[in-house]
Amino acid sequence: MGSLNSDNVASHTSSSNISPLDPEEFRRQGHMIIDFLADYYRDVEKYPVLSQVEPGYLQKRLPKSTPHYPEPIETILQDVQEHIVPGLTHWQSPNFFAYFQCTSSIAAFLADMLSTGFNVVGFNWIASPAATELETIVMDWLGEILDLPKSFLFSGNGGGVIQGTTCEAVLCTLVAARDQILSQIGRENLVKLVVYASDQTHSAFQKAAQIAGIHPMNFKAIKTSKSTSYALSPNSLRAQIWKDVEAGLVPLFLCATVGTTPTAAIDPLESLCAVAKDYGMWVHVDAAYAGSACICPEFRHFIDGVEGANSFSLNAHKWFLTSLDCCCLWVKDPSALIKSLSTNPEFLRNKASDSKQVVDYKDWQITLSRRFRSLKLWFVLRNYGVANLRSFMRNHVKMANLFEGFVAMDKRFEIVVPINFAMVCFRILPSALSETIYKNGKLDIVSEEHANEANRKLLESINMSGCVFMTHAVVEGVYVIRFAVGATLVEERHVITAWKVVQEHANVILSTYKPRNLLV
């Protein structure tokens, strides 16, 4: 056998004697990351908002295999700048007006650093008492700011938990409701359970129903219309429930929404809860987007009637300056969650849990492990205070109203639904297209199909420019462009620029528009 090469031995030795948490190296590299991100936030509006890369771009840029020996952080950061950043859609850009925003802040970021640094796994109280107890405190704090009924708070008989996303919150409450009713009518009747929502409700509810074993035919998405501003009609709900009961089915669960994704529609909670109560149904209120704004007294009325619901959730990572992920869920009856979601293996048994005097959050969620999420919500509440958080959201509403005014002044466009909160739904009017086509001597009537095609082209053109990013919705067959104000860094000048971009691209679309199926 030949002898080992001394250089290889030295390299191997140096690579295996790593110190992953060396305090001084952590300090040095940590400063580099902070500087990198500070520069990113400073320059983020200069990047194309929507990534311009093609599918599979990264595979062509990175090595084919994992490095055998360590690489310096400087090299890795350089690759982040050159290869990762171009593949990002910049959610923190002030020119991001798509979906619903995902806000962040210095307070949330630093608290997340602390959470990651502590790296505790707070599945039960004893695993990290501070993580559990801080969560119970901040959930009551936020519940009080929202003026939630005391029955949702730990200071009453309820309580709150921080989930990852609304998808998890809805699934947990649906499972709790399912098990409650099946304990009364027998598990063999799962196939009879029916869940209800509007056709504007987020698809997360449909996914939750699938996971919970609800028969696909028993997921009832009730049609909404412009006459109710796309809110769920209590009369339509009652009519659908009556049909289902007559067919021998069992009404189980209603998901009402405050601030739907397509149009920010607001379901009338009080009257919907009254209908559900007649049939003994669980009502969950999904206020993922708009719930945060309800800390402002002028918006609180949008959740009037929440006292009739069983659970309520909002995403603090959407509009509350609390970085992803942070979904706040309150329930009136925590025992319903616990009965459905708890497991008690021997290795987790301890005196505190056995005493029933503490909260074990593992029994309030799907997963066992959980991050110390309450730390960032605590930082945000303390570092900014209620007054500044209200001002932050009010400013976004003001900017959305400014954009709405721009649209209203241009007779080629229409506001499709009344503005709620900080989102404007608009489109090019069919009449504007009709004028263009008529001038070309082809046709003077434009169908909704043609109008949808033109608005789709307009949105694609705007987004591919990289100047701004917006998304769309389709309501009653009408394609609308959604302009959602809410980025942490957005200012009035960005809204003004966005409208100029819309006008510039609309000018081009309207001057050259020719429907694909128009006969010459």
Side-chain angles (χ1 to χ4, degrees), residues 6-27:
S6 59
D7 289 339
N8 289 342
V9 173
S11 297
H12 178 73
T13 302
S14 63
S15 66
S16 62
N17 291 336
I18 60 173
S19 181
L21 283 179
D22 176 75
E24 292 310 312
E25 189 60 20
F26 176 72
R27 194 186 314 277

Side-chain angles (χ1 to χ4, degrees), residues 78-238:
Q78 185 64 37
D79 282 350
V80 170
Q81 184 63 58
E82 293 179 2
H83 305 313
I84 302 301
V85 171
L88 296 179
T89 289
H90 298 283
W91 285 68
Q92 301 311 307
S93 171
N95 298 309
F96 184 100
F97 301 102
Y99 309 113
F100 284 130
Q101 59 282 340
C102 187
T103 56
S104 190
S105 62
I106 296 170
F109 177 83
L110 296 180
D112 248 349
M113 283 182 65
L114 277 177
S115 176
T116 302
F118 294 148
N119 204 28
V120 301
V121 188
F123 41 71
N124 59 14
W125 181 86
I126 199 172
S128 265
T132 295
E133 296 196 11
L134 184 61
E135 189 160 335
T136 64
I137 290 167
V138 297
M139 288 301 290
D140 267 14
W141 279 10
L142 184 52
E144 288 166 359
I145 299 167
L146 288 162
D147 195 22
L148 289 182
K150 196 156 188 173
S151 55
F152 281 106
L153 309 182
F154 284 105
S155 55
N157 295 315
V161 56
I162 301 178
Q163 305 276 356
T165 66
T166 298
C167 303
E168 297 168 55
V170 171
L171 178 56
C172 288
T173 53
L174 178 55
V175 167
R178 178 200 66 188
D179 290 352
Q180 267 191 343
I181 193 68
L182 290 180
S183 68
Q184 300 168 27
I185 66 174
R187 300 197 74 84
E188 68 277 8
N189 288 306
L190 173 61
V191 71
K192 294 182 179 180
L193 301 183
V194 189
V195 299
Y196 302 86
S198 84
D199 59 358
Q200 304 298 302
T201 301
H202 197 282
S203 58
F205 182 41
Q206 186 173 10
K207 179 181 282 191
Q210 292 171 354
I211 295 170
I214 304 300
H215 193 286
M217 295 295 292
N218 290 349
F219 180 88
K220 303 299 174 75
I222 299 169
K223 184 174 174 55
T224 59
S225 67
K226 195 167 186 175
S227 64
T228 61
S229 297
Y230 301 104
L232 177 57
S233 160
N235 290 336
S236 297
L237 174 64
R238 187 179 290 278

Side-chain angles (χ1 to χ4, degrees), residues 148-390:
L148 289 182
K150 196 156 188 173
S151 55
F152 281 106
L153 309 182
F154 284 105
S155 55
N157 295 315
V161 56
I162 301 178
Q163 305 276 356
T165 66
T166 298
C167 303
E168 297 168 55
V170 171
L171 178 56
C172 288
T173 53
L174 178 55
V175 167
R178 178 200 66 188
D179 290 352
Q180 267 191 343
I181 193 68
L182 290 180
S183 68
Q184 300 168 27
I185 66 174
R187 300 197 74 84
E188 68 277 8
N189 288 306
L190 173 61
V191 71
K192 294 182 179 180
L193 301 183
V194 189
V195 299
Y196 302 86
S198 84
D199 59 358
Q200 304 298 302
T201 301
H202 197 282
S203 58
F205 182 41
Q206 186 173 10
K207 179 181 282 191
Q210 292 171 354
I211 295 170
I214 304 300
H215 193 286
M217 295 295 292
N218 290 349
F219 180 88
K220 303 299 174 75
I222 299 169
K223 184 174 174 55
T224 59
S225 67
K226 195 167 186 175
S227 64
T228 61
S229 297
Y230 301 104
L232 177 57
S233 160
N235 290 336
S236 297
L237 174 64
R238 187 179 290 278
Q240 182 61 59
I241 294 174
W242 184 84
K243 286 181 185 178
D244 294 333
V245 171
E246 286 293 297
L249 301 176
V250 180
L252 170 68
F253 192 100
L254 167 66
C255 183
T257 307
V258 176
T260 62
T261 299
T263 64
I266 300 155
D267 291 338
L269 300 186
E270 188 169 2
S271 51
L272 290 173
C273 287
V275 173
K277 185 178 180 181
D278 288 345
Y279 295 93
M281 297 166 60
W282 183 299
V283 179
H284 177 73
V285 177
D286 171 14
Y289 161 60
S292 296
C294 293
I295 70 167
C296 301
E298 66 269 30
F299 297 127
R300 173 57 179 78
H301 67 95
F302 287 123
I303 59 171
D304 283 355
V306 70
E307 60 274 8
N310 301 80
S311 51
F312 175 89
S313 65
L314 64 82
N315 285 351
H317 58 250
K318 275 188 166 63
W319 206 4
F320 209 73
L321 291 175
T322 309
S323 50
L324 192 73
D325 50 2
C326 188
C327 173
C328 300
L329 167 67
W330 291 267
V331 291
K332 281 183 175 177
D333 181 12
S335 68
L337 283 183
I338 294 168
K339 287 175 184 175
S340 291
L341 301 173
S342 65
T343 54
N344 295 291
E346 183 62 32
F347 74 93
L348 291 180
R349 291 198 62 183
N350 63 86
K351 187 181 294 185
S353 296
D354 290 344
S355 74
K356 307 297 183 184
Q357 300 300 305
V358 298
V359 173
D360 285 344
Y361 273 126
K362 70 179 179 62
D363 300 328
W364 293 52
Q365 62 179 32
I366 298 165
T367 63
L368 173 64
S369 300
R370 63 196 325 269
R371 300 181 69 243
F372 194 174
R373 296 188 187 102
S374 59
L375 203 56
K376 58 188 170 186
L377 187 55
W378 187 51
F379 266 49
V380 166
L381 289 169
R382 293 188 63 190
N383 202 213
Y384 302 121
V386 177
N388 282 327
L389 289 166
R390 286 172 175 161

